[in-house]
Amino acid sequence: MNVRERVLEALTWGEPDYVPWVVKPNHLPRGEWERELRSRGMGLSVPVGVVRVELEGVEYVERRAGDRVVRVYRTPVGEVREAFRIGLPREAGERSDRWRVEHFIKGPEDYRIVEYLYEHMRVSADYRDALIVDRDLGGDGVTYTEGGYSPLMEVIVNLMGFARFSVELKRSPGRLEGLLEVIWERKLEIYRAIAESPVRLVLVGDNIDEVLVDPRLFKRYCLPFYQECSDILRSRGKIVGSHMDGRLRGLKELIAESGLDFVHGFTPPPGGNLSLREAREAWGRGVAIWVNIPEATFYWSGGRLAAYLRGLLREAAPGHGLVLGITETVPPERRREAYETVTDVVLRHGRIPTGG
C-alpha cells in the first residue's frame, strides 16, 4: 500500500497497512536522507490551490520601508492598510520571513471599507496546477486544498487581531456581526468552488485554541460554519477537516458536532491539553485525527521521543482513523534525528492493528 492509499484509508476509517506518516514539503529539505526516509514510507502532504480570488474596483499599492512592507487598498468608499515586518528568520526554509504587525481594522470607519473588499472579491476555479502536482506526486503522498480561515478567525487573525476583536465584541457587536455575515457569504462561495474541484482533501481553516476561541464563541460562530461547509463539500465526495492545533479539551464535545471528517494538526500534550486517548473517547469513529507531533518533543533524545510516539500509538490503538504528521516548525538542527526516529517507530510499531 502506498502513502496516498494509507492516508485516504485512515481518514475514511478504512484498513491501512500502517499508520500513515507525512510531512509538508517545506518541512522536508531535499537530499539523500530525505530520499532514504521516503523510500522507507514517509510521505508528503502537499497544499495546492484550486480557486483564484481577485479584487474588482480596488487599487492596490505595496511599498517597502526598512524592515516593513506596507499594503494599501484604495476603494470608492475609502482606503485601508496593513503592514508586515519582513526579514525574519526562516528556520532553514520552514516558515515565512514576514509577520503581520498592522491590521486593516483600527476603528469603526474601517468596517465599511473592508466589507467592500469582500463584496468585490471575484472567485473563479483554477484546477490546472493542482492536477499537475497531484499527478506528479502519485502514491508518494496526498494533495489537499483549503479556503482559508472561517469568518471568525478571518476577522481575528487577518483583519483586526485578538486584542481589538475582544474590544469590538463588547462595544460594537452589531457592526462585527455585519462584517462576519459579508465574509461568511464570500467564504461559502469559495468552498462551493472547491467542492467542484478534483482535490479530495479539504481543510476549512482554522488554528483553533480554546483560550482564544472559547466554547461560547466556537458554538456561535465556528460550529455552524463548519457544518455548512461540511455539507457542501461532503455532498461532492470531499474528505473535510479543519486545522485545530491548539488546546481543545473544552471544545471536544462541540468538535464532535462539527460535521468534520477529521481534525488536522491535532496537538496532544505537551503542546496541547487534550490527550489522544481523550479525543478518541469523545469522537469515536466520527472524527479521524491527523496528529501534529508537538514541536517540543523534537528537542528530546531519540529514545525519549520514540517512547513518546509508542505511547501515542497505544492511546490510538488499534490505529484506525489516525495520521502522524508535522504541521508546525521543526527545529532544523533536530529535524534529521527526529524524522528518523518517527520513521523507525512507525515501521516497528505502526502496523495496523497497533498496540505499541
Side-chain angles (χ1 to χ4, degrees):
M1 185 174 287
N2 62 39
V3 176
R4 174 172 302 195
E5 292 167 339
R6 285 185 193 123
V7 173
L8 295 179
E9 285 289 304
L11 296 181
T12 56
W13 293 93
E15 292 287 339
D17 53 354
Y18 283 86
V19 173
W21 152 229
V22 294
V23 298
K24 291 170 63 176
N26 63 308
H27 295 315
L28 190 61
R30 299 298 177 263
E32 292 180 0
W33 72 277
E34 168 263 342
R35 186 165 57 248
E36 179 186 351
L37 288 179
R38 292 211 292 125
S39 71
R40 298 177 65 203
M42 183 177 68
L44 295 169
S45 60
V46 182
V48 293
V50 295
V51 296
R52 297 179 62 184
V53 179
E54 300 173 297
L55 289 173
E56 295 183 351
V58 177
E59 180 185 355
Y60 167 76
V61 178
E62 180 175 293
R63 63 178 183 270
R64 177 170 177 171
D67 65 350
R68 295 198 176 195
V69 167
V70 178
R71 295 175 178 171
V72 179
Y73 295 78
R74 296 178 180 140
T75 78
V77 297
E79 68 177 45
V80 288
R81 54 176 274 168
E82 61 181 353
F84 299 82
R85 186 179 173 188
I86 60 175
L88 299 173
R90 298 196 66 228
E91 298 289 350
E94 287 206 24
R95 64 168 71 211
S96 170
D97 68 343
R98 60 183 54 198
W99 186 260
R100 193 189 309 271
V101 293
E102 181 181 334
H103 292 84
F104 282 140
I105 296 179
K106 306 169 185 67
E109 68 279 0
D110 296 321
Y111 274 84
R112 180 66 196 109
I113 306 167
V114 172
E115 287 175 359
Y116 183 96
L117 296 180
Y118 284 88
E119 289 166 350
H120 289 77
M121 287 179 177
R122 297 296 172 257
V123 178
S124 60
D126 185 356
Y127 306 151
R128 179 179 177 276
D129 286 355
L131 287 168
I132 293 171
V133 172
D134 191 72
R135 179 201 66 195
D136 292 347
L137 181 62
D140 280 5
V142 291
T143 56
Y144 67 92
T145 193
E146 50 191 317
Y149 288 120
S150 66
L152 178 70
M153 294 303 290
E154 180 86 352
V155 166
I156 292 174
V157 177
N158 288 334
L159 300 182
M160 63 176 62
F162 285 102
R164 176 157 290 278
F165 171 77
S166 300
V167 173
E168 295 294 309
L169 187 63
K170 295 293 184 181
R171 293 183 180 175
S172 306
R175 187 182 295 126
L176 183 60
E177 290 275 355
L179 175 60
L180 286 167
E181 288 177 8
V182 172
I183 298 172
W184 193 295
E185 289 306 310
R186 189 59 63 240
K187 289 287 185 176
L188 286 184
E189 183 181 359
I190 290 171
Y191 281 106
R192 289 190 186 100
I194 289 174
E196 301 301 322
S197 79
V199 179
R200 193 171 179 197
L201 299 185
V202 181
L203 293 183
V204 183
D206 223 358
N207 293 107
I208 291 296
D209 181 279
E210 66 179 22
V211 176
L212 301 175
V213 179
D214 63 24
R216 178 179 58 90
L217 286 173
F218 188 92
K219 184 174 183 178
R220 181 167 183 175
Y221 297 111
C222 297
L223 193 59
F225 185 75
Y226 296 149
Q227 291 168 338
E228 191 165 2
C229 285
S230 293
D231 287 344
I232 292 169
L233 293 163
R234 293 175 72 177
S235 72
R236 305 300 294 173
K238 307 307 180 191
I239 304 171
V240 188
S242 184
H243 184 73
M244 301 186 184
D245 58 348
R247 292 157 287 190
L248 301 179
R249 179 175 290 170
L251 302 173
K252 62 183 180 180
E253 286 82 9
L254 293 171
I255 292 171
E257 302 174 23
S258 65
L260 298 169
D261 295 305
F262 67 100
V263 168
H264 180 267
F266 174 89
T267 306
N273 66 353
L274 179 64
S275 71
L276 195 49
R277 179 177 287 109
E278 291 174 295
R280 281 287 201 227
E281 292 171 354
W283 302 335
R285 292 178 64 90
V287 181
I289 300 175
W290 188 315
V291 170
N292 167 47
I293 301 170
E295 178 182 353
T297 65
F298 289 107
Y299 289 95
W300 298 350
S301 68
R304 185 181 177 190
L305 174 59
Y308 173 82
L309 294 167
R310 291 196 299 272
L312 289 183
L313 293 175
R314 283 193 293 270
E315 289 186 40
H320 301 87
L322 179 70
V323 178
L324 293 180
I326 305 293
T327 65
E328 58 189 351
T329 301
V330 178
E333 65 277 7
R334 300 292 304 158
R335 186 164 47 208
R336 183 164 182 165
E337 180 183 0
Y339 284 9
E340 290 172 354
T341 299
V342 179
T343 304
D344 288 342
V345 170
V346 168
L347 289 174
R348 293 174 184 172
H349 306 282
R351 178 177 283 278
I352 305 294
T354 64

